[in-house]
Amino acid sequence: MLYTELLQLWDESVQAVDARDWEGALSILGKINTPTSRTLFNTASAHLALGQLDQALKALDLAIAKDERLAVGFFQRAAVMMQIDRLEEALSDCIWAQQYMRGNTVIDYRQLGLRFKLYSWQVLYNAAAVYSRMGDWEQAQDVLMSASQQRTGGRGGNIEAALDSVTKRVVLDPLLVPEGEVFRPRKQDVEQLKQRDFLGKAKVISSMIPNDDFGGFEPLRLQQPGFYEPKVAGVEDSRYMRMRIPYMARGPGQLTVPGGAMVFLFGEEDRDGMATVIYDGKRGILPLSLLDPIDLKTSKSKKDTRIPSGIPLPPGLKPPTRPKAGPSPAAPPARTRDTPPPSYTSATHTPLPASEAPKYTANAASNQPTSSAQAEEGGSVVVKVHYMYTVALSVPLDTPFKEVKEQIAQKLGQPASQLRIRHKQHGSQVLTPVNAEGEQARTIQEVAEAGRATLWCQVEDPLANRNILYQMVALYDYNAQGPEDLEFSEGDTIDILGQVNEEWLEGHCAGNIGIFPSCFAYRENNNITQS
């Protein structure tokens, strides 16, 4: 079908919708033999106005198949699923809608012709409505509490009224795109359908703007880095699992995963029945009872469905040989073993900005005020310390960082003056240093969450006869692939001694010197002041 014919029928169907002639609108839309996601959404809206839920659901399925990232399509389909009692599928659609909002609190669809703004609190409201129909009133209340903390417009008193209804055990009605709001073609395109005489008039056929990179209604986004996966022989060796039902996060560190999604089993089951997994580049915990093993063997005719593990691809260049150590002619005098390495007090920390992940958690305890209240009830906080091995200790909430550092040093049998301690802020992948010497007024309560705190610890090793250019912090564990590689763990500080090529650096960590891929660490300091 020609695009002009599609525009003509699309515009006529919108005029029928404005006249509340739903049957006429469906008749016109049925003449489009190559429908788009927007015209299919209009078809579903007309069926909903007539109360034909099954036909509306089929039209929404086709619309989402045409545009797999249409958040408003998942939002609308979740509401239809609730009305026909397909609750688990409705919950999955709410999760997909929130994921495709990509961390935005609102998406304005007027740029695509739909006079509707989709807010994240509306998606959370529908998720709470699903839980209310399942009879899980506590989870419904937690989701509504998360929605109430979002400062977005258009909410009014809907959340407060919903909380009151959930408290009284009243089932919530789902939210829908208002009746009559459909995707409309651009007015300029419709006006172009009229025949015009351009004879004798100038027509622009080229642009004087060099390298015109217009990319649509929104700016281009940075692509995610590549991922690699471990090779497995079959289902008996595979650590990939499939979610049996959708699961929403209910505590710190938990993930929100739709039903049917595949995850990578990163750790073994703990005492609470939770296991550490990787999903969509993020690491968290899920109930192991909801995971089923899958076989990754696929024939050549099937598509390669690989799941991102969150670890970057190894460098494309072959690992080079380590350069010979030699002092730089412009470098300061080499340090001896009596000279301590650069410390945090002499370095300027400029951690890389971390992109905020989509916030979709139904656990109100993940917020700082509630977590602090829970921790205060216990009076102490459990501190988990990642070293060459993992240790744990319990300290009072008001314990200064300096005393915590001394207790960690006593636990590890290392001098406190040579320990480096970092913590990871909520929702970030960057490890931030804890300056226990210069900020004695700070306490462990500032990094505690839900009565727990996680720290990364490393012992400073003196390095003789080499000039440290700058320092980096390991983002992931790196296992040596050759005799000249430098092994390190997540959170370790690496002293950079030189650059081998674009992708490999020479560094020092834990008393060892070797080469490693630069993509496995991030730059911590811009400058280093040598003692």
Side-chain angles (χ1 to χ4, degrees):
M1 173 178 286
L2 295 177
Y3 183 63
T4 54
E5 297 176 1
L6 172 63
L7 279 178
Q8 185 68 39
L9 294 174
W10 187 3
D11 182 58
E12 292 177 1
S13 67
V14 170
Q15 294 178 15
V17 168
D18 292 339
R20 294 297 188 267
D21 183 9
W22 310 112
E23 296 287 353
L26 289 174
S27 175
I28 297 173
L29 290 169
K31 298 178 183 179
I32 302 177
N33 52 22
T34 55
T36 64
S37 61
R38 287 180 280 182
T39 59
L40 289 168
F41 185 91
N42 293 359
T43 302
S45 299
H47 282 302
L48 283 175
L50 295 172
Q52 302 169 354
L53 298 180
D54 292 336
Q55 292 87 337
L57 184 60
K58 292 179 181 178
L60 287 172
D61 289 340
L62 295 174
I64 293 175
K66 290 280 186 179
D67 188 353
E68 297 178 352
R69 291 172 175 79
L70 188 64
V72 70
F74 285 102
F75 171 76
Q76 190 84 330
R77 192 172 69 176
V80 178
M81 291 284 192
M82 274 188 274
Q83 297 182 46
I84 58 178
D85 292 331
R86 294 168 63 175
L87 301 181
E88 288 188 359
E89 295 172 88
L91 183 59
S92 290
D93 279 347
C94 290
I95 296 175
W96 286 117
Q98 186 71 7
Q99 181 173 346
Y100 289 132
M101 291 190 73
R102 302 196 179 280
N104 298 309
T105 57
V106 60
I107 296 180
D108 191 350
Y109 281 96
R110 287 181 299 179
Q111 301 177 76
L112 293 178
L114 178 65
R115 300 167 185 170
F116 178 73
K117 293 182 180 180
L118 178 61
Y119 293 92
S120 59
W121 70 263
Q122 293 175 319
V123 181
L124 292 171
Y125 183 100
N126 275 3
V130 176
Y131 280 120
S132 69
R133 291 168 183 266
M134 291 180 174
D136 193 346
W137 301 104
E138 182 178 356
Q139 186 69 7
Q141 188 174 11
D142 289 343
V143 175
L144 289 174
M145 289 296 296
S146 299
S148 66
Q149 295 169 6
Q150 296 186 5
R151 298 181 178 178
T152 54
R155 191 176 66 191
N158 293 332
I159 300 298
E160 290 73 14
L163 281 170
D164 184 61
S165 298
V166 169
T167 305
K168 298 176 181 178
R169 299 295 190 269
V170 177
V171 176
L172 300 178
D173 294 327
L175 296 180
L176 286 159
V177 177
E179 183 179 292
E181 294 298 338
V182 294
F183 284 99
R184 302 171 183 270
R186 293 178 57 192
K187 184 179 179 180
Q188 298 88 333
D189 294 343
V190 176
E191 291 177 351
Q192 293 296 328
L193 294 176
K194 301 177 181 179
Q195 294 185 356
R196 298 183 181 182
D197 184 11
F198 291 97
L199 185 61
K201 296 182 180 180
K203 183 179 180 181
V204 178
I205 59 175
S206 64
S207 174
M208 63 182 296
I209 302 176
N211 302 325
D212 189 4
D213 57 349
F214 177 74
F217 69 92
E218 64 176 343
L220 296 178
R221 302 177 184 270
L222 295 176
Q223 298 296 319
Q224 293 184 352
F227 302 92
Y228 72 87
E229 304 168 1
K231 295 182 179 180
V232 293
V235 66
E236 66 278 359
D237 299 325
S238 173
R239 297 185 65 84
Y240 283 101
M241 315 290 282
R242 188 181 299 278
M243 288 294 297
R244 191 180 304 114
I245 59 174
Y247 182 79
M248 296 185 66
R250 302 181 181 181
Q254 297 188 16
L255 294 177
T256 297
V257 182
M262 287 191 293
V263 300
F264 181 76
L265 187 61
F266 190 78
E268 301 299 332
E269 181 181 6
D270 61 10
R271 293 181 301 176
D272 299 330
M274 308 294 285
T276 303
V277 301
I278 293 178
Y279 171 69
D280 195 22
K282 296 184 289 295
R283 184 169 66 183
I285 55 176
L286 290 173
L288 191 61
S289 59
L290 302 182
L291 302 178
D292 293 328
I294 59 174
D295 190 356
L296 290 183
K297 287 185 177 180
T298 54
S299 61
K300 294 183 179 180
S301 60
K302 295 183 179 180
K303 295 183 179 179
D304 182 16
T305 56
R306 295 185 299 171
I307 308 302
S309 65
I311 306 176
L313 284 167
L317 299 180
K318 186 178 180 181
T321 57
R322 192 183 345 169
K324 295 181 179 180
S328 173
R335 299 197 313 269
T336 63
R337 292 189 178 272
D338 296 333
T339 306
S343 64
Y344 273 76
T345 57
S346 62
T348 303
H349 304 281
T350 54
L352 295 175
S355 57
E356 187 176 358
K359 296 180 180 178
Y360 191 79
T361 173
N363 182 22
S366 62
N367 300 303
Q368 187 65 26
T370 310
S371 300
S372 301
Q374 292 179 351
E376 289 174 1
E377 291 177 4
S380 62
V381 59
V382 177
V383 182
K384 183 179 180 181
V385 183
H386 292 284
Y387 184 55
M388 291 186 295
Y389 47 89
T390 303
V391 298
L393 63 155
S394 178
V395 297
L397 277 171
D398 56 351
T399 306
F401 279 125
K402 185 176 181 180
E403 295 183 16
V404 175
K405 184 176 181 181
E406 292 175 355
Q407 294 188 33
I408 294 174
Q410 184 179 4
K411 195 93 170 177
L412 301 179
Q414 300 289 345
S417 59
Q418 295 185 6
L419 290 184
R420 292 177 176 172
I421 298 179
R422 295 184 178 85
H423 75 96
K424 188 182 294 183
Q425 296 181 356
H426 181 70
S428 172
Q429 295 297 329
V430 178
L431 290 166
T432 331
V434 175
N435 191 353
E437 300 297 332
E439 301 180 15
Q440 298 185 17
R442 296 184 61 189
T443 62
I444 192 65
Q445 184 178 4
E446 298 184 24
V447 298
E449 185 174 343
R452 299 180 181 179
T454 304
L455 302 176
W456 280 258
C457 180
Q458 181 186 9
V459 177
E460 294 180 338
D461 298 295
L463 181 65
N465 302 324
R466 293 302 299 272
N467 178 34
I468 300 177
L469 302 180
Y470 51 91
Q471 290 173 318
M472 300 183 77
V473 178
L475 279 170
Y476 315 99
D477 297 342
Y478 180 68
N479 298 322
Q481 306 297 322
E484 295 183 343
D485 284 11
L486 177 66
E487 281 195 354
F488 48 78
S489 301
E490 177 189 1
D492 285 354
T493 298
I494 307 170
D495 300 322
I496 305 303
L497 308 178
Q499 181 175 358
V500 182
N501 56 33
E502 295 178 355
E503 298 177 341
W504 291 81
L505 298 172
E506 183 188 24
H508 162 260
C509 180
N512 299 318
I513 298 177
I515 60 175
F516 68 95
S518 59
C519 60
F520 275 69
Y522 68 90
R523 179 80 173 269
E524 185 188 36
N525 305 7
N526 284 337
N527 301 299
I528 280 189
T529 305
Q530 307 234 2
S531 302

